[in-house]
Amino acid sequence: MLGDPRQPLKFVTPSDNVKVKEDKYWISNEVAEDLIDFDCLVVHYMTEPFMEGIRRTRPEVLVVWAGWGGDYYYLIEPYLGQLLLNKTKHFVDCRNESNNKFHKKILDKGTRFLGSLTSEPIMALSKLRNFLSNKKIDVSIHDVIGKIDLLWVNPEEMSMVEKALPGFKGKFHRVCYYSAEDTFAQGPERMDGPDILIGNSATDTNNHLELFDCLMSVELDDRRLITPLSYGDDWYGDEIARIGRKLFGERFVPLRTYMPINEYYDRIATCGTVMMNHVRQQAGTTIATALYKGAKVFLRKENPVFDFYRNMGLKLFTIQDDFLSGGNLFGPLSTEEMVQNRDILGSYWSYEEAVADALELQTYVEEKRTMHA
């Protein structure tokens, strides 16, 4: 894992098989030595350090990239369009402009400081030598895409990824992080209360501000707006919490701290309505869980997840065409629709299917080994 080994693990259960390594590990000979004993390298969320690790793999090692969305959306954004809606983009741009002014002040001070080193050339050379001795990671996905054998992204995004990465000559293969039995079925059986689940994180791609505008235009009665803001950008989370309280008062309930999955499911069990305003794929587990538990889910119609599930036969709704058109917004799904959603998801994301996908990697490993025998 990429991280700080001095910090306790937060989202992963500690184990003898789990090792946390800093950036410098991935550009060292140590990673190449460690990879000698492996037949398969699976990268979860592609980063530059992991790209360096791929560079150091032996030709016969099967390399798998399990895409999370955030690690490849910069590649396919030209095909998706702007990920931030206008109000959110303006909000974030104003913050960035303020930060840029601050950074310029720091840079000016640093420049003046370095200029003063000319009176101390020995010190200046020492600092320069120390700086140059620290290896920097300089790699892009295009440098290593030819070594990647298998890739998993949302099926609706595969054609966009192929356009963005013409050097990819491998295959698409599903990598499951969860199963319906182990994840969706945890906690309360249903999500069927009056409350509304808003977004999934403190990230600007949630487009919270536009969603707040939608909700301000309808009669909410006593519904609470449960808004997860436990991870992402702390500044953005603070601002969304502040704005949400200002607009909706005590009905706005931000979730600011990380909690175990069963506790999280307990907190959102009263949310019979789920609204996700992402243009891109995001909140995959939360969306699938809500559909599995019978909630009424609204997504943006340009979100690839909407087409993915609609093409599978699930009943879900769009924010633009269904929510903004009015009608019985908060009316529950029919029993038939709930059962249909659960059955489809239970089959596609079953534990049996997840195990089969994982075991199939062995076949690919043997094929790769034979090619390089």
Side-chain angles (χ1 to χ4, degrees):
M1 288 180 58
L2 175 63
D4 185 346
R6 295 165 296 185
Q7 299 298 321
L9 291 172
K10 188 174 183 180
F11 302 109
V12 177
T13 303
S15 167
D16 291 340
N17 294 327
V18 176
K19 293 180 173 58
V20 181
K21 300 290 188 178
E22 295 178 296
D23 284 10
K24 61 184 180 180
Y25 166 80
W26 304 95
I27 57 175
S28 69
N29 292 329
E30 185 181 355
V31 66
E33 293 170 359
D34 288 345
L35 286 169
I36 289 175
D37 297 325
F38 292 89
D39 297 313
C40 180
L41 171 64
V42 182
V43 174
H44 307 273
Y45 199 104
M46 186 66 71
T47 64
E48 289 181 351
F50 292 160
M51 294 175 200
E52 286 289 356
I54 292 173
R55 272 182 167 176
R56 287 162 170 73
T57 58
R58 293 173 289 115
E60 61 270 27
V61 172
L62 182 76
V63 180
V64 185
W65 175 12
W68 281 33
D71 54 340
Y72 63 85
Y73 262 96
Y74 69 97
L75 294 167
I76 66 172
E77 186 171 355
Y79 309 105
L80 276 174
Q82 185 172 290
L83 301 184
L84 302 185
L85 302 181
N86 290 337
K87 194 169 185 177
T88 295
K89 186 176 186 305
H90 177 72
F91 178 66
V92 173
D93 284 348
C94 288
R95 184 254 187 133
N96 291 340
E97 183 179 349
S98 176
N99 282 347
N100 287 339
K101 290 179 180 178
F102 174 76
H103 292 154
K104 186 177 184 303
K105 289 182 179 179
I106 297 298
L107 182 60
D108 289 344
K109 289 182 179 179
T111 301
R112 289 194 296 271
F113 170 73
L114 291 174
S116 69
L117 292 180
T118 56
S119 61
E120 295 287 347
I122 295 178
M123 182 186 298
L125 288 172
S126 176
K127 288 180 177 291
L128 180 61
R129 184 169 56 250
N130 289 337
F131 174 80
L132 294 176
S133 66
N134 292 322
K135 293 182 180 180
K136 301 297 179 183
I137 297 176
D138 183 20
V139 62
S140 81
I141 186 60
H142 298 284
D143 297 327
V144 298
I145 192 63
K147 296 193 69 171
I148 296 174
D149 303 293
L150 302 176
L151 170 62
W152 169 243
V153 298
N154 185 301
E156 296 295 328
E157 299 164 343
M158 288 180 181
S159 62
M160 290 182 276
V161 171
E162 287 177 321
K163 290 177 184 177
L165 295 172
F168 176 62
K169 305 303 181 184
K171 300 177 181 179
F172 289 95
H173 178 79
R174 184 171 65 167
V175 177
C176 293
Y177 288 99
Y178 42 71
S179 67
E181 298 92 331
D182 292 337
T183 303
F184 308 157
Q186 294 298 307
E189 183 178 358
R190 293 277 306 280
M191 288 175 61
D192 60 356
D195 299 328
I196 306 171
L197 182 65
I198 305 295
N200 78 308
S201 62
T203 53
D204 52 19
T205 47
N206 280 266
N207 293 301
H208 286 99
L209 298 184
E210 285 80 4
L211 206 48
F212 289 170
D213 287 343
C214 292
L215 293 166
M216 288 290 289
S217 68
V218 300
E219 182 57 55
L220 294 174
D221 298 323
D222 294 328
R223 290 180 173 83
R224 296 184 304 162
L225 309 181
I226 311 297
T227 309
L229 299 170
S230 60
Y231 68 92
D233 183 327
D234 288 339
W235 174 86
Y236 180 83
D238 290 341
E239 287 298 296
I240 292 303
R242 178 184 63 80
I243 295 169
R245 290 193 189 98
K246 181 179 179 181
L247 294 176
F248 304 105
E250 293 183 358
R251 288 180 301 179
F252 184 80
V253 183
L255 305 181
R256 299 308 309 274
T257 57
Y258 170 76
M259 58 188 72
I261 189 170
N262 280 335
E263 184 179 343
Y264 175 65
Y265 285 163
D266 286 339
R267 293 295 301 272
I268 66 175
T270 58
C271 297
T273 302
V274 174
M275 299 186 71
M276 300 288 179
N277 207 26
H278 316 95
V279 172
R280 71 174 212 180
Q281 177 200 177
Q282 200 166 322
T285 306
T286 300
I287 291 170
T289 298
L291 290 166
Y292 186 84
K293 291 176 180 284
K296 189 172 187 177
V297 175
F298 291 86
L299 305 179
R300 293 194 66 80
K301 61 183 178 182
E302 64 267 44
N303 186 334
V305 177
F306 176 77
D307 282 338
F308 175 56
Y309 281 136
R310 183 186 62 177
N311 292 337
M312 286 173 61
L314 275 78
K315 182 66 175 180
L316 67 167
F317 304 84
T318 71
I319 290 174
Q320 297 100 312
D321 295 337
D322 298 311
F323 191 86
L324 294 179
S325 65
N328 186 19
L329 298 176
F330 304 115
L333 301 181
S334 68
T335 300
E336 182 181 273
E337 290 167 338
M338 291 182 190
V339 171
Q340 174 181 286
N341 283 357
R342 177 179 286 247
D343 287 348
I344 293 174
L345 288 167
S347 175
Y348 186 84
W349 295 113
S350 71
Y351 180 81
E352 183 179 354
E353 288 291 324
V355 171
D357 288 336
L359 291 176
E360 192 175 356
L361 292 178
Q362 180 60 37
T363 300
Y364 288 115
V365 166
E366 292 171 357
E367 290 178 357
K368 190 79 180 283
R369 187 185 297 139
T370 300
M371 287 174 55
H372 293 274

